[in-house]
Amino acid sequence: MSISPVLLGDTPARALAVYAHPDDVEVSCGGTLARWAAAGSEVHVVVATRGEKGSAAIDADPVALAEVRAAEVHAAAEVLGLAGVELLGHPDGDLDVDPRSLRAEIVAAVRRVAPVTVVCPDPTAALFGDRYVNHVDHRAIGWATLDAVAPAAASPAYFPEAGPPHQVETVLLSGSLEADVWVDVTATIDRKIEALSRHRSRLGEGDEGWLGDFVRSRAADDARRLGVAHAEGFRILRLG
């Protein structure tokens, strides 16, 4: 039985996106966050790692690359209209090493921002066909975020030092193999592309025309059954 596609039209008053690497936010939900911010939502982002392994160059300096990528995060956030960015500074590729510590940091962010909606990767999506294995950091940050919002952030017994409890109402999981809601990002697809272009260390130098073509093509695939030009898909969890 096929599931009718659902367009998610509501704009949360406050939202928090939690991702592993400096460019993950823009790739996964940049159009959605830009749409919410433009509609008046207070949108915050947490980036867990320094992204210092995000280069194919053998002689890349990880310290220098981490500094560059941090600056790129802030530049992209400005394009999207975000209200705040927090860089946790974990080593790239090691988010699975200390899940409790990571969960505590996310609980603190959730309680501080008090978001209605949290956006993060779907940690259950591990194998994408026979060509891609989801990065360990993507899976780790997804599980840590889910564990942080259900139930830790809402319960005063968990991490009492992290501030007063807060109940998240909705979680949107990006990169899901079981997407069941979509956000129309037709009006913000160009802003998503512009924000992605700020991650110069990942894109390299040269013609950026391919980037816009690629992003629009992917967003058009998601939108095909929805009657809109471009969309981003998510698996939705209703917790509130």
Side-chain angles (χ1 to χ4, degrees):
M1 182 177 66
S2 62
I3 298 175
S4 299
V6 174
L7 269 175
L8 192 65
D10 294 342
T11 299
R14 284 180 306 282
L16 175 67
V18 185
Y19 283 86
H21 306 113
D23 58 335
D24 288 350
V25 171
E26 290 74 29
V27 171
S28 302
C29 57
T32 297
L33 300 189
R35 173 187 170 128
W36 290 346
S41 178
E42 181 185 317
V43 182
H44 296 256
V45 161
V46 168
V47 177
T49 77
R50 298 190 294 271
E52 77 279 8
K53 294 185 178 73
S55 173
I58 295 175
D59 59 348
D61 179 347
V63 174
L65 180 58
E67 292 176 354
V68 168
R69 299 203 73 187
E72 291 171 345
V73 169
H74 288 284
E78 185 174 353
V79 172
L80 295 178
L82 304 186
V85 173
E86 182 176 3
L87 306 176
L88 300 184
H90 288 272
D92 198 343
D94 288 344
L95 287 185
D96 60 331
V97 171
D98 189 357
R100 187 183 187 282
S101 175
L102 180 61
R103 184 165 68 251
E105 290 178 291
I106 298 170
V107 167
V110 169
R111 290 179 177 174
R112 183 176 60 256
V113 174
V116 176
T117 299
V118 166
V119 191
C120 70
D122 185 345
T124 70
L127 303 178
F128 290 76
D130 61 357
R131 293 182 177 272
Y132 179 66
V133 177
N134 202 6
H135 195 294
V136 62
D137 283 346
H138 299 167
R139 288 177 276 137
I141 197 68
W143 282 125
T145 303
L146 287 180
D147 290 342
V149 300
S155 173
Y158 289 86
F159 308 105
E161 72 282 0
H166 172 73
Q167 176 66 63
V168 172
E169 294 183 10
T170 303
V171 178
L172 296 181
L173 301 175
S174 65
S176 180
L177 297 172
E178 301 178 59
D180 50 12
V181 298
W182 285 260
V183 175
D184 180 0
V185 298
T186 305
T188 53
I189 192 70
D190 289 340
R191 189 167 294 184
K192 173 187 176 90
I193 294 166
E194 184 181 351
L196 269 170
S197 73
R198 296 297 189 269
H199 293 279
R200 176 62 60 190
S201 65
R202 291 289 285 168
L203 296 174
E205 300 295 333
D207 180 20
E208 295 177 8
W210 66 270
L211 176 64
D213 293 343
F214 176 72
V215 171
R216 289 189 182 91
S217 176
R218 282 187 59 181
D221 287 343
D222 276 340
R224 188 161 290 128
R225 294 188 299 151
L226 298 162
V228 300
H230 299 103
E232 292 175 339
F234 304 91
R235 181 179 180 180
I236 190 169
L237 304 176
R238 296 178 174 88
L239 306 179

